[in-house]
């Protein structure tokens, strides 16, 4: 429906609500004020109103779905040349988020509404990394593999395991990795 597509294009929050059924057809979307807050802050980040953002929230509250799956797909509707680099302690989870993002982009709903704006290239279309016809990209790496990569937005999603919160050395390593490899890899700091 045209109204839904217009709402989804204008608002990350609406995009998240509408696209939920693509990846979770068996689960009804459950809204919460935290989802709106995350979407508002991410929109401000994409629009350049804020430069850095940390989202700390309990597990299973859709942070990764919004930040790692929906955000690049939604952003590419308006800014298809944006390049996204994702890193996390678990490369398998990072790769899974990449696959889910691509599933949204390749869905009938997305293609019928925004398929004329760009397409995914065939020469760079892997589970962990894909590009589009406007030079936009979404790449996933483990924390150790990001060195030498760059993006317009560099996102650390779960930089350490849940168990590491008790280990100050592991937390320190995650912070050091951000300082040394992730933040300096921003394309235009």
């Amino acid at each position: 429906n045209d109204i839904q597509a217009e709402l989804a294009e204008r608002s990350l929050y609406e995009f998240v609500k509408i696209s939920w059924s693509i990846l979770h057809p068996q689960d009804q979307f459950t809204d919460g004020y935290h989802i709106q807050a995350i979407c508002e802050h991410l929109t401000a980040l994409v629009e350049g109103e804020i430069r850095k953002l940390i989202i700390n929230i309990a597990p299973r509250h859709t942070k990764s779905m919004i930040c790692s799956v929906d955000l690049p797909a939604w952003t590419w509707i308006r800014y298809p040349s944006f390049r996204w680099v994702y890193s996390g302690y678990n490369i398998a989870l990072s790769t899974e988020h990449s696959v889910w993002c691509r599933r949204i982009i390749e869905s009938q709903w997305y293609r019928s509404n925004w398929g004329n704006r760009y397409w995914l290239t065939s020469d760079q279309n892997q589970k962990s990394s894909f590009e589009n016809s406007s030079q936009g990209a979404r790449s996933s790496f483990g924390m150790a593999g990001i060195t030498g990569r760059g993006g317009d937005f560099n996102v650390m999603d779960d930089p350490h395991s849940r168990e590491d919160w008790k280990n100050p050395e592991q937390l320190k390593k995650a912070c050091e990795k951000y300082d040394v490899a992730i933040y300096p890899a921003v394309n235009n700091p």
Side-chain angles (χ1 to χ4, degrees):
N1 141 352
D2 291 342
I3 295 172
Q4 271 191 332
E6 183 65 27
L7 288 172
E9 182 173 337
R10 290 182 186 195
S11 165
L12 175 58
Y13 173 67
E14 293 297 329
F15 185 91
V16 168
K17 290 190 327 184
I18 295 168
S19 67
W20 181 264
S21 65
I22 293 168
L23 298 176
H24 308 284
Q26 72 284 3
D27 299 326
Q28 183 177 353
F29 176 77
T30 303
D31 205 351
Y33 69 91
H34 66 286
I35 294 173
Q36 271 188 305
I38 291 170
C39 291
E40 287 174 16
H41 283 80
L42 290 172
T43 300
L45 187 73
V46 167
E47 296 298 335
E49 296 167 13
I50 56 177
R51 297 195 32 82
K52 294 181 184 179
L53 178 63
I54 296 175
I55 299 172
N56 287 319
I57 192 166
R60 312 301 302 159
H61 280 75
T62 69
K63 171 192 55 73
S64 293
M65 280 300 298
I66 298 168
C67 298
S68 298
V69 177
D70 290 315
L71 183 60
W74 175 74
T75 303
W76 279 357
I77 294 170
R78 295 183 292 166
Y79 308 109
S81 64
F82 280 4
R83 301 180 71 78
W84 297 88
V85 173
Y86 284 86
S87 60
Y89 82 93
N90 183 335
I91 185 62
L93 186 59
S94 240
T95 299
E96 184 175 285
H97 293 156
S98 177
V99 169
W100 289 351
C101 179
R102 188 172 52 216
R103 281 187 188 151
I104 289 176
I105 291 168
E106 292 178 335
S107 72
Q108 178 60 36
W109 171 72
Y110 193 96
R111 301 305 316 150
S112 66
N113 288 299
W114 305 290
N116 62 338
R117 299 189 185 184
Y118 69 89
W119 58 91
L120 296 182
T121 61
S122 59
D123 62 339
Q124 184 56 43
N125 193 353
Q126 304 165 354
K127 283 185 172 186
S128 62
S129 182
F130 54 91
E131 295 182 6
N132 69 37
S133 58
S134 295
Q135 306 304 312
R138 190 206 182 284
S139 302
S140 295
F141 303 95
M143 290 297 286
I146 193 169
T147 304
R149 315 288 189 199
D152 300 311
F153 296 93
N154 294 350
V155 181
M156 288 175 63
D157 188 357
D158 297 330
H160 54 79
S161 73
R162 290 182 193 171
E163 294 79 33
D164 286 345
W165 74 269
K166 299 179 221 171
N167 185 337
E169 273 306 305
Q170 289 301 101
L171 298 177
K172 184 179 176 186
K173 283 181 183 179
C175 291
E176 287 172 355
K177 189 64 172 179
Y178 174 81
D179 289 340
V180 171
I182 298 187
Y183 182 69
V186 173
N187 282 346
N188 187 2

